[in-house]
Amino acid sequence: MLSLAAFFAIIGTIGWGLSNASAKRMVERFGPVRAIVFRNFIAVSILAVASLAVGIPDTFTVRMLAFGIALSFIGYFPFIFFLKGLEKGKVGVVYPISAGWVILAALIGILFLGDTLTMLKAASLALIIIGVLVSAVHFTELKKSDLFSMKSGVPYALVSAILWGVVFAFFIYPAEALGGVFFALMVEGVVFITAFLHLIVKRERLIQGVEEKRLLKKSIPFVFVSGIGAGFGTMFINFGYATGEIAIVSAIAGAQIVVAGVFAHFIYGERLSKQQYIGILLVLIGIVCAAII
């Protein structure tokens, strides 16, 4: 029988994977901060409508609202560091290191937040993590990169992994108290506002000139896919964390890299290597095992 946590995590992972893969085109054209503004405008719009329809649960408290806002604000920074790492370094180096948040979130859940794992679930988690790393790591790029320099993107990836690991591990509390839909609106809303303020601090206009207007029109399909994926992805990942299965949900969420890779293969024409196919297979086996035990 498919576990509820795994079901929610799988849907959320597909959403996040599509969102991040679509955001790649926007980052290339508009930079990371403006890409977040475009993406989150769509995400917030969808989640606002969903929140009005679903409402706020009776477990809502002002204290948990403040905690959720703080987590959401902190969550903006690993996203920016991750995109900055991709801008500076190579995907095959930055992606697998940033994916380390999965391991940290799982450990925090098990050691400090009362999450429990059976041997079979632990094996499934390990299989998913190994699959993610196999599909993401480009060993030739690792050899060529100066891992201790800023230009490699590795320092940015490390910071994003640490911050994401801590932030996502504690999603369980506001997700339970505020509801998956409303907390998703809060997360994406705070990220949207923070990115907009970031632009103001940088004194950067959202759209610069006629050429960028033309590029934005061409990018509309990617903006919508990224925004819709982010909205539904965050919402269902919240549902998953609210079940208390922090480690399994985090591990499955890490498979967004695989989803993004498949999307890039079909939409951007990027070829998948044999190593990536092996990684994808390991992830799928791990997810299936985690979902039925």
Side-chain angles (χ1 to χ4, degrees), residues 112-254:
F112 303 107
L113 303 181
D115 193 7
T116 57
L117 283 180
T118 63
M119 289 298 294
L120 288 175
K121 281 189 177 182
S124 300
L125 185 150
L127 198 58
I128 294 169
I129 292 174
I130 292 170
V132 168
L133 293 177
V134 168
S135 64
V137 174
H138 296 178
F139 293 101
T140 55
E141 292 183 1
L142 279 173
K143 290 178 181 178
K144 294 177 183 177
S145 296
D146 182 0
L147 298 181
F148 298 100
S149 71
M150 298 300 288
K151 66 180 181 181
S152 70
V154 169
Y156 297 106
L158 282 172
V159 173
S160 70
I162 293 168
L163 290 177
W164 262 332
V166 174
V167 167
F168 286 133
F170 285 94
F171 263 34
I172 179 176
Y173 298 118
E176 286 178 340
L178 305 175
V181 180
F182 182 72
F183 181 49
L185 173 62
M186 180 186 300
V187 170
E188 300 299 344
V190 170
V191 169
F192 174 72
I193 293 169
T194 307
F196 205 84
L197 293 174
H198 195 169
L199 280 181
I200 294 173
V201 171
K202 292 175 65 178
R203 297 182 179 180
E204 187 176 328
R205 294 174 63 184
L206 187 58
I207 302 175
Q208 302 173 9
V210 177
E211 177 61 20
E212 286 203 346
K213 287 183 180 180
R214 186 184 66 81
L215 284 175
L216 182 58
K217 287 182 180 179
K218 289 180 63 177
S219 303
I220 285 176
F222 296 97
V223 172
F224 272 92
V225 171
S226 186
I228 293 169
F232 281 95
T234 302
M235 181 168 62
F236 277 93
I237 290 295
N238 284 345
F239 290 155
Y241 278 125
T243 66
E245 298 274 0
I246 300 171
I248 289 298
V249 172
S250 296
I252 295 175

Side-chain angles (χ1 to χ4, degrees), residues 43-56:
V44 169
S45 300
I46 292 169
L47 291 169
V49 173
S51 293
L52 288 173
V54 174
I56 302 173

